[in-house]
Amino acid sequence: MSNKKEDRSVWAIGGMTMVGVGVGIIFVKVSALIMVGSIIIGIGLGLVITAVISRKNN
């Protein structure tokens, strides 16, 4: 086994996508486009968080 520290910053993308799906499910009866928008916002926030965490670790 290697002692290399694993980079788990990419988990932020999946986590924020799941948050976006959860928020979208709340508003799905109002409009389906709100659900799609919340998923896209979740992916975008996950990418931003991943970039910040990766920069911090390096």
Side-chain angles (χ1 to χ4, degrees):
M1 290 226 172
S2 65
N3 291 333
K4 182 181 175 186
K5 185 178 177 184
E6 293 183 23
D7 184 23
R8 295 189 177 164
S9 63
V10 295
W11 287 18
I13 299 169
M16 291 305 292
T17 302
M18 294 303 293
V19 170
V21 169
V23 171
I25 287 175
I26 294 171
F27 292 111
V28 75
K29 286 191 176 185
V30 176
S31 175
L33 290 177
I34 294 175
M35 182 170 183
V36 173
S38 65
I39 293 170
I40 292 172
I41 289 170
I43 293 171
L45 286 174
L47 289 170
V48 169
I49 291 170
T50 300
V52 170
I53 292 173
S54 293
R55 181 180 295 180
K56 190 177 187 181
N57 289 338
N58 291 335

